[in-house]
Amino acid sequence: MDDNNFETSPLELNFLGALRRRWEYVVFGTMLGVALAILYHFTATRMYESSIEILVGQRSSELTNSGTMTGAHASGDAIQEDQLATHMRLISGRLMLAEAIKLGKLDQLASFREVLADGGNAIDYLLKNLEVKRGGEGTARDAMVLRASFRDPSPEAAAQVLSAVYESYRNYVESHSENTSEQAAELIEEARKTHETELADADAEYRQFIQSVPILLDGDKVQDIHKDRMIKLEAELNLVRNNLAEQQSRLEVIENYLKRLGKEKVNEADHLSLLSQKEVERLKLFLDMTRGEATSEAFQAEQPLRAEAARVQYNRLLELIQKERALSDAYGAGHPLVEAARKEIQITQQFMESNAPEAAKVTVKKLEPAEMLETYTLLLRNDIAELEKRKSILARDSEAELVEAKLIENQFMKGNSLRARLSRAQARYDQVILRLQELNLSKSYAGFSTDLLASPEPADRHSWPKLPLIGGLGLFLGLGLGIALALAADMLDSTFTDVADLEASVGATVIAHVPRFNIKKLADDVEVGSSISPSLVAYHSPRSAESEIYRVARTSLLVSNRKEAVRTIMNTSPQPGDGKSTTISNLAISFARTGKRVLLIDADLRRPMIAKLFGVLDQPGLTDMLTSDAPMSQTVLQSNVGNLFIMPNGHATSQPAELLESQRLAMVLREAKERFDLILIDAPPLLAVTDPAIIAPMVDAVLLTLQIAKNGRRPVEHAVKILRDIGVTPSGVLVNGVDSSAHKSYSYGAYKGDHYGYVGHYHAKYSASNIDAPSRVVVDKAGTSPLPR
């Protein structure tokens, strides 16, 4: 089964089950609805209905549209659907009905006088009982026929009212059809002249404005050339500012460096180190141009190869200087690589001096690094001056374009205002035309004919109330009321409905239904002098139906033991008084009679009952083992039932929860498993104290004993939630204290019978005729018996 089915099917079953359990509410509600419907039928005022049929036609609609009418339309047009709806609304209009009351003197009728005497309004009464609709039915449903009906306690009065209403409606239509065409034509012509003139003036003014301003329109957008120019100028101005800032910062670095070191302390490498690769390339171009001016044309024509060799050597010198600066920055001034680079520069300079042509030596002057740096500084100043001039020109042009763009923007706003004026004029014209079309004088009442097809006549039989309709409505409402009452009663009832309901709420199987004991009757079966409580029927009456129920529960638990190897079982209940101690004691006796060695521990340290039920001393016991490490041989007593041993609660303590929460309890349970086959623990109620939540995680299974008549749904669900919050799910449920009153609200399903389940029904046929007395072990209350090993 999937999760969806698991969640939805219980709701459907609960709904049907609620109706099945509360069927008397459904019957009651249905009968009540039918009875009220019949009562209304015989007590309601009889109403008689009279009706008329009106054929509505249109003689011509062309005249109201154009002011003229051609011969093709003189015979009349078919009336439109919306026009027919207008006539329906016209008949039921308050002004029309007021006129009808005057024409027919309807306020003199008995029903109207009664309404007026009660302080009512005659028009409201007429509207309440008047109905106007299209009269066509079947194949004639599209016919242009109106059907009006009126209900009144008097059949003659109903006919008289309809006659007055029709007379008022006909007079109104005929009176307005005489001058409708002339009024409509005049209004249309006046609107055309006024608003067409206004539209023409607004359109002309807007067109003239568009032609007068230097802008280009692209739909609703404006192409402003001044704004585009300003954007381009600002972009170029930003580039100039960036370049100017770069040149100024470079000049400032060079000047500050020279001021800080002084000229006498700066060597050639220091001068050249201030120049970047880009600046060196620029100087090389400048030097080439300078050398060309210093050397005559005749010399260069005669010695081109020597000049080219000199240029190559000088370029090599510049490259070596750059290399020396890079090595010095990377490794320091005294590094061997730097020294080697400097020596190579000296060798190159010596080679250039020794191999230079004589003519070159005479005519070519070497440009020193200091002079190169000075030359570059001059170039920077010239560049800065040029950039400053260019920046001022660009800023001036951008400011001028900004002013022009602002003017264009203001003119565009004025154009928007003119265009808005044009739009408003157009909207007013369209609105006037629309209103004229909607006016009743335009089309709705122009040249209509109203012919009476059926005259109002007094009715022979009343039209209301109708018994079938009222009876069906009463049956339906009564059935709904009965279902609502049944569901409400079932929701307000907090008791469990059946075994399936209880098992679904707890999440465990109901293993037995224990009847309510008659203690006086059970006392008759108790042997004289016995200290064991009469409620332990499994001991005193092992062949009784009640004992058989405990054996059924025992069998169910034995099957579970074989499947899951259950050795420790805790029994608890939602609330005090559910009979958990009696139930676990009877189960312990039943288990012991199978030959198992059973230990029954009384862990209800607040209200212990086990020692009292078995008639033994309540100390020493569990609290002594938890507090003083007393041995199990001193705290366990052998009961009067063979194989059944009891560990009572022990000495009273003021901290029961703290004792149970200690690790000592787990050690006691482990030791008990080594000595006994099964350990049963009687724990306090879940809703009373926290003790059961402490013990539950230490045991193999948890039983829940409850009384249906005492515990409603909420206490049981709350108790189960406490267990589930600590990760424990009940293994089984024992329904205790079942009596005849529980049968009214709790069905036992498969266990239902004449006597608390199938055990009582068949027990009389299978019970033994000779009942042997139960074996008893006489134990001194002050002593103990040897524990099994």
Side-chain angles (χ1 to χ4, degrees):
M1 180 181 296
D2 56 25
D3 294 338
N4 293 334
N5 292 336
F6 180 78
E7 293 179 359
T8 57
S9 57
L11 294 178
E12 297 174 357
L13 293 176
N14 289 339
F15 176 78
L16 298 177
L19 296 182
R20 184 177 65 254
R21 291 186 298 272
R22 311 290 179 177
W23 60 269
E24 61 273 11
Y25 288 92
V26 179
V27 174
F28 170 76
T30 304
M31 295 179 62
L32 179 62
V34 174
L36 292 176
I38 295 175
L39 179 62
Y40 175 79
H41 177 266
F42 287 104
T43 58
T45 303
R46 298 291 187 268
M47 301 293 289
Y48 295 86
E49 183 177 291
S50 182
S51 61
I52 59 173
E53 292 184 358
I54 307 172
L55 176 62
V56 181
Q58 186 174 9
R59 298 186 182 93
S60 177
S61 61
E62 184 181 9
L63 182 60
T64 60
N65 294 331
S66 61
T68 61
M69 183 175 66
T70 62
H73 297 87
S75 58
D77 295 336
I79 191 170
Q80 301 297 323
E81 183 73 21
D82 56 345
Q83 295 172 337
L84 189 62
T86 302
H87 282 264
M88 293 173 61
R89 181 66 183 89
L90 182 62
I91 293 176
S92 59
R94 297 186 69 89
L95 293 177
M96 201 71 61
L97 296 181
E99 184 65 22
I101 293 175
K102 294 180 180 179
L103 290 175
K105 298 181 180 180
L106 302 182
D107 53 352
Q108 302 298 322
L109 299 177
S111 56
F112 282 81
R113 290 201 308 267
E114 184 178 353
V115 170
L116 295 174
D118 294 337
N121 186 279
I123 299 178
D124 293 336
Y125 174 74
L126 207 159
L127 278 173
K128 179 180 178 182
N129 295 280
L130 178 65
E131 182 180 6
V132 182
K133 60 182 181 180
R134 296 190 59 169
E137 296 180 358
T139 57
R141 63 181 180 179
D142 294 331
M144 300 299 129
V145 177
L146 295 181
R147 176 183 173 87
S149 59
F150 184 79
R151 290 178 296 179
D152 193 86
S154 171
E156 293 78 9
Q160 183 179 349
V161 169
L162 281 180
S163 298
V165 170
Y166 172 71
E167 189 69 19
S168 175
Y169 161 71
R170 188 187 65 179
N171 294 340
Y172 182 83
V173 172
E174 290 181 355
S175 64
H176 282 74
S177 61
E178 297 176 357
N179 56 356
T180 297
S181 300
E182 183 179 355
Q183 292 178 356
E186 292 177 357
L187 289 174
I188 291 176
E189 183 63 21
E190 182 180 353
R192 184 185 66 79
K193 292 179 179 180
T194 302
H195 294 286
E196 283 184 358
T197 301
E198 183 180 359
L199 281 174
D201 294 342
D203 183 69
E205 185 176 2
Y206 182 67
R207 291 177 181 275
Q208 183 179 2
F209 169 77
I210 293 298
Q211 294 176 357
S212 63
V213 295
I215 59 175
L216 299 177
L217 293 180
D218 184 7
D220 293 337
K221 298 181 180 179
V222 176
Q223 295 182 354
D224 190 350
I225 56 177
H226 295 287
K227 184 177 180 181
D228 296 339
R229 291 175 182 173
M230 184 191 69
I231 294 175
K232 293 180 180 179
L233 288 174
E234 286 294 329
E236 186 176 357
L237 182 60
N238 288 334
L239 293 176
V240 171
R241 288 171 177 169
N242 293 336
N243 195 7
L244 178 61
E246 180 182 357
Q247 300 295 340
Q248 288 177 341
S249 62
R250 190 62 188 161
L251 178 62
E252 184 177 353
V253 168
I254 294 175
E255 292 178 346
N256 292 339
Y257 184 80
L258 294 176
K259 290 179 181 179
R260 184 172 67 253
L261 296 180
K263 294 184 178 180
E264 66 281 4
K265 297 181 180 180
V266 181
N267 54 29
E268 295 180 357
D270 292 333
H271 283 82
L272 293 177
S273 65
L274 295 175
L275 303 178
S276 64
Q277 183 67 27
K278 179 179 178 181
E279 295 160 352
V280 170
E281 295 293 336
R282 186 180 181 188
L283 279 177
K284 286 169 60 178
L285 177 62
F286 181 78
L287 291 176
D288 290 342
M289 294 174 62
T290 304
R291 277 200 306 271
E293 294 175 356
T295 306
S296 64
E297 296 182 359
F299 178 82
Q300 291 192 3
E302 294 174 356
Q303 299 180 351
L305 295 178
R306 292 180 180 179
E308 181 65 24
R311 183 180 294 105
V312 171
Q313 293 172 359
Y314 194 78
N315 290 339
R316 175 59 179 169
L317 178 61
L318 290 178
E319 292 177 357
L320 290 175
I321 293 173
Q322 286 292 107
K323 179 179 178 182
E324 186 269 339
R325 186 185 64 178
L327 292 175
S328 178
D329 293 340
Y331 301 105
H335 196 273
L337 294 177
V338 177
E339 295 294 338
R342 290 175 180 172
K343 180 176 287 188
E344 188 175 359
I345 291 173
Q346 294 176 0
I347 293 173
T348 302
Q349 290 175 346
Q350 294 174 0
F351 176 81
M352 292 174 61
E353 292 175 358
S354 61
N355 293 279
E358 293 299 329
K361 294 179 181 179
V362 175
T363 59
V364 179
K365 181 182 179 181
K366 178 183 177 182
L367 189 62
E368 298 297 332
E371 188 177 357
M372 292 173 60
L373 188 61
E374 184 178 357
T375 302
Y376 178 68
T377 304
L378 180 61
L379 290 177
L380 285 178
R381 289 194 177 96
N382 292 334
D383 292 344
I384 292 172
E386 180 185 357
L387 291 174
E388 289 284 358
K389 183 64 176 178
R390 187 176 181 185
K391 183 183 74 170
S392 62
I393 294 174
L394 290 175
R396 181 190 62 196
D397 293 344
S398 177
E399 184 68 23
E401 294 297 336
L402 176 62
V403 173
E404 294 295 331
K406 286 291 184 180
L407 293 176
I408 295 297
E409 186 177 18
N410 292 333
Q411 292 174 345
F412 178 69
M413 292 176 64
K414 180 180 179 181
N416 286 340
S417 177
L418 293 175
R419 186 173 60 181
R421 175 187 172 189
L422 176 62
S423 299
R424 288 194 298 271
Q426 182 68 45
R428 285 194 297 269
Y429 177 78
D430 295 341
Q431 189 68 20
V432 168
I433 296 300
L434 178 62
R435 292 302 181 188
L436 290 174
Q437 293 175 351
E438 293 178 350
L439 287 176
N440 294 335
L441 298 177
S442 174
K443 287 186 178 180
S444 300
Y445 314 118
F448 287 103
S449 62
T450 57
D451 300 323
L452 192 62
L453 299 181
S455 302
E457 297 180 358
D460 298 332
R461 301 179 58 183
H462 64 272
S463 60
W464 185 261
K466 297 180 180 179
L467 183 58
L469 178 60
I470 294 177
L473 184 61
L475 178 64
F476 177 76
L477 295 178
L479 181 61
L481 176 62
I483 293 175
L485 291 175
L487 294 178
D490 198 72
M491 292 177 61
L492 294 176
D493 188 2
S494 62
T495 60
F496 292 100
T497 57
D498 49 28
V499 174
D501 188 12
L502 176 59
E503 291 178 344
S505 298
V506 178
T509 305
V510 176
I511 60 177
H513 293 85
V514 182
R516 185 180 297 279
F517 292 157
N518 188 341
I519 300 299
K520 294 182 179 180
K521 183 179 179 181
L522 295 177
D524 297 339
D525 297 334
V526 177
E527 184 179 350
V528 178
S530 176
S531 60
I532 297 179
S533 172
S535 60
L536 302 184
V537 294
Y539 175 79
H540 294 291
S541 303
R543 299 295 181 180
S544 63
E546 292 82 358
S547 298
E548 189 64 28
I549 292 175
Y550 288 113
R551 283 193 285 273
V552 171
R554 178 194 67 190
T555 303
S556 177
L557 292 175
L558 285 174
V559 173
S560 177
N561 289 353
R562 286 195 294 269
K563 291 181 179 179
E564 303 177 9
V566 176
R567 296 283 306 280
T568 55
I569 301 176
M570 183 189 80
N571 184 38
T572 183
S573 62
Q575 302 185 74
D578 285 330
K580 60 177 183 59
S581 299
T582 303
T583 300
I584 195 65
S585 298
N586 280 290
L587 282 176
I589 295 172
S590 297
F591 276 112
R593 292 190 183 279
T594 63
K596 290 183 175 292
R597 292 172 298 177
V598 181
L599 175 62
L600 177 59
I601 301 176
D602 191 352
D604 191 347
L605 305 182
R606 305 169 190 267
R607 296 180 62 185
M609 291 294 297
I610 300 300
K612 182 178 179 181
L613 290 174
F614 283 91
V616 298
L617 296 176
D618 59 356
Q619 50 184 304
L622 179 60
T623 57
D624 299 286
M625 289 196 69
L626 298 178
T627 56
S628 60
D629 295 335
M632 186 170 290
S633 59
Q634 296 180 4
T635 58
V636 174
L637 305 176
Q638 184 175 356
S639 68
N640 285 6
V641 181
N643 295 322
L644 177 58
F645 298 84
I646 299 173
M647 180 183 291
N649 58 293
H651 289 82
T653 177
S654 60
Q655 297 178 334
E658 288 74 6
L659 291 179
L660 295 174
E661 201 168 3
S662 64
Q663 295 296 327
R664 180 62 180 164
L665 178 59
M667 297 172 60
V668 170
L669 295 179
R670 285 197 297 268
E671 183 179 355
K673 287 182 180 180
E674 297 175 358
R675 297 173 180 268
F676 300 95
D677 298 324
L678 184 64
I679 298 95
L680 301 179
I681 303 173
D682 182 27
L686 285 163
L687 300 183
V689 292
T690 60
D691 300 357
I694 299 173
I695 303 173
M698 304 181 188
V699 299
D700 300 329
V702 175
L703 296 181
L704 190 64
T705 300
L706 56 91
Q707 290 190 23
I708 293 298
K710 177 182 178 181
N711 290 278
R713 183 183 305 274
R714 294 179 182 83
V716 174
E717 291 178 348
H718 189 189
V720 174
K721 183 179 182 301
I722 293 176
L723 293 176
R724 289 177 179 171
D725 288 344
I726 59 175
V728 176
T729 301
S731 302
V733 180
L734 290 95
V735 180
N736 196 19
V738 179
D739 55 11
S740 59
S741 62
H743 282 280
K744 298 179 181 179
S745 60
Y746 182 80
S747 172
Y748 303 123
Y751 300 101
K752 188 174 181 180
D754 296 336
H755 303 283
Y756 310 117
Y758 69 89
V759 175
H761 185 65
Y762 295 110
H763 180 266
K765 298 181 179 180
Y766 289 92
S767 60
S769 56
N770 296 324
I771 301 177
D772 298 332
S775 59
R776 295 177 172 82
V777 179
V778 180
V779 180
D780 185 2
K781 293 183 179 181
T784 61
S785 60
L787 294 179
R789 296 289 183 180

